[in-house]
Amino acid sequence: MSKLRSPWIGPIVGHVTDTTARIWIRAKAPDDEGVIPSSNNRTVGVVSILNAAGVADPSQTYYFRLHREFDRTGTFILGQDISFGLPEMTEKQKHMGHADRVAPLKPDTHYSIRAGVLVIDDAFEDEENVDSDDLLGRLPPASVWTDALMNLPAHESSAQFRTFPDRTLGQLSFLVGSCRYPGLMFKIKKSDVIFKPMQQRIDNQSQTAQPIRFVMMMGDQIYADLLNRYIPVKRADTYEEFQERYIEAFGSPNLRKLFQSVPNYMILDDHEIEDNWTQDRIGQSDKRILFHLAVGAYMSYQWSHGPRSFDRHLYYEFGCGGYPFFVLDTRTQRFRDDIKDELKDNHLLGRPSPDPVNYPSQLDHLCHWLTAQQSIIGNRPKFIVTPSVFVPNDVTTVRSDGHKNASDSWEAFPVTRERLLEVIVTHQIQNVVFLSGDIHCSCVAELSFRGSSAAEKLKAFSITSSAFYWPFPFADGEPSSYVHDSAKQQDTFHFSGGRYAMDYKAYNFCQDDNFCQIDLNWDRRELTVQVFGKNGDLLVNRDAPTRPEMRALLSLAQ
């Protein structure tokens, strides 16, 4: 009989609801040539929920596919799927002992699981797709592997999580961050350091009334172009190199433990592909190949364990405790410079749809989502995750006439920004919170609006958390490089033909390696943003005596 093995990477706890949890693993077979899957072996995942005694439950043990075309990665949705995600078991499969029922998970409940990999010889031709029913008929009941699962090393095969509540919470806590530069040579270990204090904060709050519900990683989880997109050394542009980037990053010990301990949400930014990527480059044949390799790897390692809200689009939405999140893809749908030196033709979230009713763009989905959420939940916060920074702008892009030069953030896409702000103001969308990364500097900004008495009552915020690890603070991210007060620094954004205006004040700038903890207390109408460093300590800004601690208390609208 085949031997059960530990996952090569994972388990990763992905998207969680009040009744389900998506579990992801990456397998490795004996005949694989490095990161290249061998056609001699087929791999199948095995997952089991542990019972109250901490032992794998035979009645809740299942198989799932780990396809070679997806780099031997695969996911299983606990509380929803039966083996191989089949809609139902045949009578023959039931007779063989395969579990044919699944119970939804319980809301706001702690679960522990074990996951392993079954490697079997592949007698089928490479071109032949093996039906899941056929494959399941060749396997014993998944329950036979429970003892073997428990004998696997726990640090390689176990995971735990807490399902989301099925009610609206008065309080919500989560962690955010971005930009994990992998390091070079002896500094590679440093890129993994910060995930240990993140794990410690999760552990410390796990038994409190306000546990950390999830981690949001907002781009640059890998750096495909380790040095520069113009320098071919250390630049991923082959299947093997993209695989190696992910295996090195996701296999590091502290990050792997974090993945196993809490729901994780991710979205890509430019370095998953290439520095400052825009879709305009895809017209070049070498860039088209690069894009396909990069996005294929991204979908296998990051997108696949997410919510998948909009078919195979990379953007998505989810909710936790009554608070909605919309996670934007600001990278693979951005277009710029159709008209040279013009900004009005730049589009951050895809070009405008000619038929938004039947074929809505990402921006159409976002605007509809905002208006719907305001109608459903009222003034409770609505979180928009945008890897590219909404505000503050870079000072070098501010000109005396108020226009912007080239930038990689929202300021270079005024048409997209204007459409979104018009929806916020005209539909009175209250307490919008933008969450961003990218710029290797963390900060908080409070937005204000002018143009009508209703607009002046609106509150919105922008929170930037970057970087997990960036050893070159002299290269970018300097706090003085960003606008701190848009009204004083001539960075007011006028929209709707000049009828409305947006200003902002930004503060708590920090270049140290960091992550942010966001604590929402809706009962008090407060949002607290704390910035922690690589040692787990609350960071202090020694150059700002009026705001020494990196803790911001934001007052939400009623």
Side-chain angles (χ1 to χ4, degrees):
M1 183 175 288
S2 299
K3 178 183 177 181
L4 201 66
R5 304 165 185 266
S6 296
W8 193 14
I9 304 294
I12 294 178
V13 181
H15 174 50
V16 166
T17 69
D18 57 340
T19 59
T20 64
R22 193 182 292 267
I23 304 298
W24 176 100
I25 63 172
R26 205 281 196 192
K28 182 176 176 64
D31 290 348
D32 289 352
E33 299 178 8
V35 298
I36 305 298
S38 168
S39 60
N40 295 331
N41 302 127
R42 185 175 297 276
T43 47
V44 173
V46 183
V47 64
S48 182
I49 298 176
L50 306 192
N51 59 26
V55 178
D57 186 345
S59 68
Q60 298 189 84
T61 304
Y62 308 95
Y63 292 118
F64 59 106
R65 301 294 294 264
L66 302 173
H67 291 283
R68 282 181 296 238
E69 56 266 40
F70 302 128
D71 317 316
R72 295 201 190 280
T73 68
T75 63
F76 187 86
I77 305 177
L78 295 168
Q80 175 179 308
D81 288 349
I82 58 175
S83 285
F84 292 155
L86 294 170
E88 60 182 0
M89 291 291 174
T90 64
E91 289 303 319
K92 179 182 178 181
Q93 290 163 348
K94 293 177 186 178
H95 182 72
M96 292 174 63
H98 292 291
D100 64 331
R101 291 185 178 88
V102 60
L105 304 182
K106 296 179 180 179
D108 207 6
T109 301
H110 182 273
Y111 286 90
S112 295
I113 66 103
R114 285 294 180 101
V117 175
L118 182 64
V119 179
I120 55 179
D121 293 335
D122 192 355
F124 298 94
E125 296 295 331
D126 289 351
E127 295 80 10
E128 186 176 351
N129 288 321
V130 181
D131 184 83
S132 292
D133 280 310
D134 187 11
L135 184 58
L136 188 62
R138 298 167 182 260
L139 295 172
S143 57
V144 307
W145 302 107
T146 53
D147 289 343
L149 281 169
M150 296 307 299
N151 288 330
L152 295 175
H155 70 281
E156 297 176 349
S157 63
S158 65
Q160 57 184 341
F161 59 90
R162 188 171 183 166
T163 49
F164 288 168
D166 60 351
R167 66 191 189 285
T168 299
L169 300 175
Q171 299 177 329
L172 178 68
S173 293
F174 56 95
L175 304 182
V176 298
S178 66
C179 306
R180 189 264 183 103
Y181 186 76
L184 294 168
M185 299 181 69
F186 301 110
K187 293 186 177 181
I188 291 175
K189 292 182 179 179
K190 291 188 175 182
S191 69
D192 191 45
V193 168
I194 201 162
F195 302 113
K196 184 175 183 178
M198 292 177 70
Q199 176 68 53
Q200 290 171 338
R201 294 205 66 79
I202 291 167
D203 291 342
N204 292 341
Q205 290 191 216
S206 63
Q207 301 302 319
T208 68
Q210 193 169 357
I212 292 171
R213 296 287 179 174
F214 61 87
V215 172
M216 170 60 69
M217 296 188 178
M218 303 180 293
D220 297 342
Q221 281 71 254
I222 67 161
Y223 275 66
D225 49 346
L226 194 58
L227 299 178
N228 186 287
R229 76 173 187 263
Y230 299 111
I231 302 175
V233 179
K234 296 290 184 180
R235 185 182 66 192
D237 54 13
T238 66
Y239 172 85
E240 294 92 333
E241 288 168 333
F242 274 103
Q243 293 292 308
E244 289 165 356
R245 290 288 193 277
Y246 276 104
I247 290 167
E248 181 178 284
F250 286 14
S252 59
N254 291 333
L255 181 56
R256 185 169 185 172
K257 186 176 181 181
L258 181 67
F259 283 159
Q260 296 170 330
S261 304
V262 68
N264 291 268
Y265 292 86
M266 304 176 188
I267 188 64
L268 84 170
D269 202 12
D270 55 338
H271 290 291
E272 270 85 1
I273 309 170
E274 179 182 80
D275 186 34
N276 290 349
W277 175 265
T278 73
Q279 284 301 94
D280 308 275
R281 297 178 193 170
I282 207 168
Q284 307 168 43
S285 60
D286 59 331
K287 299 300 183 184
R288 187 183 306 113
I289 294 171
L290 174 71
F291 178 77
H292 290 162
L293 289 170
V295 172
Y298 170 77
M299 295 185 77
S300 290
Y301 286 87
Q302 298 194 58
W303 173 86
S304 59
H305 48 76
R308 309 185 191 183
S309 310
F310 299 96
D311 296 322
R312 294 182 65 81
H313 288 296
L314 305 187
Y315 53 91
Y316 60 90
E317 61 175 303
F318 72 99
C320 181
Y323 301 96
F325 292 75
F326 197 109
V327 182
L328 295 174
D329 168 16
T330 59
R331 203 43 76 176
T332 74
Q333 294 192 339
R334 69 166 60 196
F335 295 90
R336 63 188 306 162
D337 297 335
D338 287 344
I339 304 173
K340 188 174 178 58
D341 298 325
E342 290 282 348
L343 296 182
K344 63 184 179 181
D345 65 313
N346 289 358
H347 302 287
L348 186 63
L349 305 178
R351 290 192 174 99
S353 171
D355 184 0
V357 174
N358 295 306
Y359 303 99
S361 67
Q362 182 180 184
L363 182 56
D364 294 326
H365 281 301
L366 173 63
C367 293
H368 174 75
W369 175 86
L370 273 174
T371 55
Q373 293 302 327
Q374 183 66 33
S375 175
I376 295 168
I377 68 171
N379 288 350
R380 290 206 302 272
K382 301 110 188 134
F383 295 92
I384 299 176
V385 178
T386 163
S388 296
V389 173
F390 194 77
V391 294
N393 295 339
D394 192 307
V395 295
T396 61
T397 66
V398 179
R399 302 203 309 240
S400 59
D401 59 3
H403 291 85
K404 307 293 184 297
N405 292 316
S407 166
D408 196 49
S409 298
W410 279 76
E411 62 204 272
F413 301 85
V415 174
T416 309
R417 179 187 263 180
E418 179 170 17
R419 167 89 185 281
L420 179 57
L421 291 177
E422 283 178 339
V423 169
I424 290 174
V425 170
T426 58
H427 292 271
Q428 291 292 284
I429 313 295
Q430 194 63 271
N431 291 325
V432 174
V433 182
F434 295 95
L435 304 173
S436 303
D438 184 50
I439 61 174
H440 303 152
C441 181
S442 292
C443 62
V444 173
E446 301 185 43
L447 285 64
S448 59
F449 300 92
R450 290 182 283 115
S452 70
S453 58
E456 291 173 1
K457 295 177 182 178
L458 292 174
K459 286 193 173 186
F461 310 89
S462 179
I463 300 167
T464 303
S465 182
S466 177
F468 286 137
Y469 178 65
W470 179 246
F472 313 114
F474 50 84
D476 55 20
E478 171 62 41
S480 61
S481 299
Y482 301 100
V483 172
H484 290 223
D485 188 325
S486 64
K488 292 182 178 180
Q489 295 176 259
Q490 299 183 352
D491 195 36
T492 299
F493 184 77
H494 298 275
F495 58 101
S496 294
R499 179 181 178 184
Y500 298 109
M502 177 198 73
D503 275 305
Y504 61 89
K505 292 183 178 180
Y507 54 93
N508 276 16
F509 289 88
C510 175
Q511 274 190 287
D512 293 354
D513 294 344
N514 69 84
F515 65 93
C516 288
Q517 178 169 328
I518 298 177
D519 299 307
L520 168 64
N521 189 322
W522 181 238
D523 298 331
R524 297 180 179 178
R525 302 301 192 268
E526 292 177 349
L527 192 67
T528 303
V529 183
Q530 301 179 88
V531 186
F532 295 95
K534 59 186 177 184
N535 295 322
D537 299 325
L538 184 67
L539 290 176
V540 175
N541 186 351
R542 289 172 288 276
D543 298 324
T546 59
R547 296 180 185 270
E549 288 190 330
M550 289 296 174
R551 179 189 288 113
L553 182 63
L554 307 177
S555 297
L556 300 169
Q558 296 292 321

